[in-house]
Amino acid sequence: MAVGTANTMAGQPSLVKRLGWTFLILCCYRIGVHVPIPGVDAAALASFFQSMQGTLFSLFDMFSGGGLSNVSVFALGVMPYISGSIIMQLLQVISPDVKRMAKEEGQAGRRKLTQYTRYLTVLIALVQGLGIAVGLENMTSPAGTSIVLNPGWQFRMVTMTTFTAGSVLVMWLGEQITERGIGNGISLIIFCGIVVGIPRGIIQSLALIQAGDMSIFMAAVIVVFMAAVLVAIVFVERAQRRIPISYAKRQVGRKMYGGQNSHLPLRLNTAGVIPPIFASSLLLFPATIGQFSSNEYVKHAAELFSPHGIAYNVLYVSLMFFFCYFYTAIIFDPKDMAENLKKNGGFIPGIRPGDKTQEYIDTVLTRLTLSGATYISLVCLLPMLLISNFNVPFFFGGTSLLILVGVAMDFMNQVESHMISSQYQGLMAKARKSGRL
């Protein structure tokens, strides 16, 4: 199988080039994660983050691929871009002009929205950079050593500029992967940041076993449980609700069209990994600023919204339910589906075309979204339960696992589609050549 796949890819230089381009850009991203900003005491910073393991910083550091713990030029990662995308998608619901730009102006409108998202990314990165710079000045290591060597506005301006430039560069790298590589660039960058943390989690687990803090039996049970959860996630991600569609026969000239049966596939998890990513991005930034602050009231509020707190989890689940319904409403419009079916002579058996079909599709989507939101919420609460009850030293499950599975499946689907397309193009080229001969 491996030899056959290698031979197939060797015969498709375009796919190999795209894969090589993707790998090269991801390597550039990983190099940037280890380039620290100036004016920071690396030893004091490492001691501080070592004491913050298992808190909100660990989750934020996972999204940045380790950039936050290094306070690197890529410390903000793709989070400003994701926040900008959230704002633009919310504006599509609130503002008729933005909605018209997205749906009626075609490619030109989408380019404008992309440009506005980039501007928002720069603005959000500047604000977040200033907040983190001020927070770094107030941070000290467990030994009492100040993390910032020379606090002041010079350090703040340098940090803001560096973080903003790094965030824009990460956004550009993601766009280059999408255009010239394979897969969604932003998703692959997040995927890469999560994958590099897996070996560290395994090493920490082995250290716990050697120290006697975790028994071998418990470690084996956790491994089996993780495998079962992984299989369940793959199963649910591929699950579909297929609505049967029938097409009436119609005669055009002397030919008869229609009379076929098909189906309308609706995924159980229609929104994919978007809801947990959006919910996490909204909760991470205010909580991080709260932990950076030296104000006692702000710190107390941040403790209430820690990942292990009830308030955080309730708000987290509520936001995921909201974004599941919100994102499903954006990408699926039952009215458009019903109108397209009616125009093409299609109908759902037992359901009248038009408004009744729209109501039926809307009801099915609502039920699927409720099931999908419940499934996502259970998976995202899983790491909190494992850390608090079973002393697991890393985040397993939640947003990270959904991203890993979802991005890996999407990546493989795009690779297979590209290979099939290349094969068809080769067959068509041979057919044209044979026809000329």
Side-chain angles (χ1 to χ4, degrees):
M1 179 66 73
V3 176
T5 304
N7 292 334
T8 303
M9 292 181 60
Q12 297 181 349
S14 176
L15 178 59
V16 175
K17 182 179 179 181
R18 285 180 172 272
L19 289 174
W21 185 257
T22 302
F23 179 76
L24 178 62
I25 293 179
L26 290 178
C27 288
C28 294
Y29 166 70
R30 290 308 306 168
I31 292 174
V33 168
H34 297 282
V35 178
I37 63 171
V40 175
D41 189 336
L45 183 68
S47 300
F48 174 80
F49 275 99
Q50 185 66 29
S51 65
M52 300 299 294
Q53 289 296 322
T55 64
L56 190 65
F57 285 98
S58 299
L59 189 60
F60 199 176
D61 195 41
M62 177 194 71
F63 276 103
S64 63
L68 179 63
S69 58
N70 297 327
V71 191
S72 68
V73 294
F74 290 165
L76 296 180
V78 297
M79 300 308 292
Y81 180 81
I82 292 175
S83 301
S85 300
I86 294 174
I87 295 174
M88 293 307 302
Q89 293 199 10
L90 288 173
L91 287 177
Q92 291 183 30
V93 179
I94 299 173
S95 173
D97 295 334
V98 178
K99 184 177 181 180
R100 184 181 64 254
M101 189 186 304
K103 294 188 175 182
E104 298 180 7
E105 296 185 8
Q107 187 65 28
R110 287 190 290 271
R111 282 199 297 266
K112 289 182 182 178
L113 289 179
T114 301
Q115 195 69 21
Y116 294 154
T117 305
R118 292 170 180 168
Y119 294 150
L120 275 175
T121 300
V122 173
L123 179 62
I124 293 171
L126 286 171
V127 175
Q128 290 184 347
L130 177 60
I132 293 178
V134 174
L136 288 172
E137 292 179 346
N138 296 324
M139 287 164 48
T140 58
S141 67
T145 305
S146 178
I147 290 178
V148 178
L149 299 177
N150 297 306
W153 276 105
Q154 183 178 0
F155 170 77
R156 297 176 186 178
M157 296 301 295
V158 170
T159 303
M160 287 173 57
T161 305
T162 305
F163 281 168
T164 303
S167 183
V168 172
L169 181 56
V170 171
M171 177 183 65
W172 181 80
L173 291 175
E175 292 177 351
Q176 294 303 304
I177 292 177
T178 303
E179 294 177 4
R180 303 185 183 185
I182 294 289
N184 182 282
I186 300 298
S187 299
L188 283 175
I189 286 176
I190 300 176
F191 177 89
C192 180
I194 296 172
V195 168
V196 296
I198 294 178
R200 182 170 62 250
I202 295 175
I203 293 174
Q204 290 175 354
S205 300
L206 294 176
L208 287 177
I209 294 174
Q210 291 179 353
D213 295 331
M214 179 186 295
S215 64
I216 298 178
F217 174 76
M218 181 58 67
V221 170
I222 292 175
V223 170
V224 173
F225 176 74
M226 289 178 175
V229 170
L230 185 61
V231 172
I233 289 176
V234 174
F235 176 78
V236 175
E237 290 295 326
R238 291 186 176 273
Q240 293 179 347
R241 168 70 161 89
R242 297 184 177 183
I243 300 177
I245 303 293
S246 298
Y247 290 91
K249 292 184 179 181
R250 54 179 179 171
Q251 186 172 356
V252 180
R254 296 184 177 181
K255 294 184 178 181
M256 186 69 70
Y257 294 92
Q260 299 177 350
N261 295 323
S262 181
H263 65 270
L264 177 64
L266 299 176
R267 292 178 56 193
L268 178 61
N269 181 21
T270 307
V273 299
I274 298 299
I277 291 178
F278 281 10
S280 300
S281 64
L282 287 179
L283 290 177
L284 282 175
F285 176 62
T288 302
I289 295 300
Q291 292 198 16
F292 277 143
S293 176
S294 59
N295 188 289
E296 292 298 329
Y297 295 102
V298 177
K299 285 185 176 181
H300 181 67
E303 291 176 358
L304 293 177
F305 288 93
S306 64
H308 306 293
I310 297 178
Y312 174 90
N313 290 318
V314 170
L315 184 58
Y316 189 35
V317 171
S318 301
L319 285 174
M320 281 190 289
F321 269 82
F322 168 76
F323 281 118
C324 278
Y325 281 97
F326 174 76
Y327 193 73
T328 302
I330 289 179
I331 62 178
F332 283 106
D333 189 349
K335 184 177 180 180
D336 291 342
M337 291 183 183
E339 290 178 353
N340 291 333
L341 286 175
K342 189 174 182 179
K343 290 178 182 178
N344 296 320
F347 62 93
I348 301 174
I351 307 296
R352 287 186 177 184
D355 294 338
K356 294 295 183 180
T357 299
Q358 176 186 345
E359 293 176 3
Y360 178 79
I361 295 176
D362 185 60
T363 302
V364 173
L365 271 177
T366 301
R367 293 175 179 174
L368 286 176
T369 305
L370 177 62
S371 302
T374 304
Y375 145 75
I376 291 177
S377 300
L378 291 175
V379 174
C380 290
L381 292 178
L382 181 62
M384 313 304 173
L385 299 175
L386 291 177
I387 292 175
S388 59
N389 297 326
F390 298 98
N391 200 26
V392 177
F394 55 89
F395 283 90
F396 174 82
T399 310
S400 59
L401 190 57
L402 287 173
I403 292 173
L404 288 176
V405 175
V407 174
M409 291 172 59
D410 178 68
F411 180 80
M412 292 308 300
N413 289 336
Q414 292 201 30
V415 170
E416 291 177 1
S417 299
H418 193 87
M419 293 174 67
I420 293 173
S421 176
S422 299
Q423 291 176 0
Y424 278 132
Q425 290 176 1
L427 291 174
M428 294 297 294
K430 291 181 180 178
R432 287 195 298 268
K433 184 176 181 180
S434 300
R436 288 197 299 268
L437 293 175

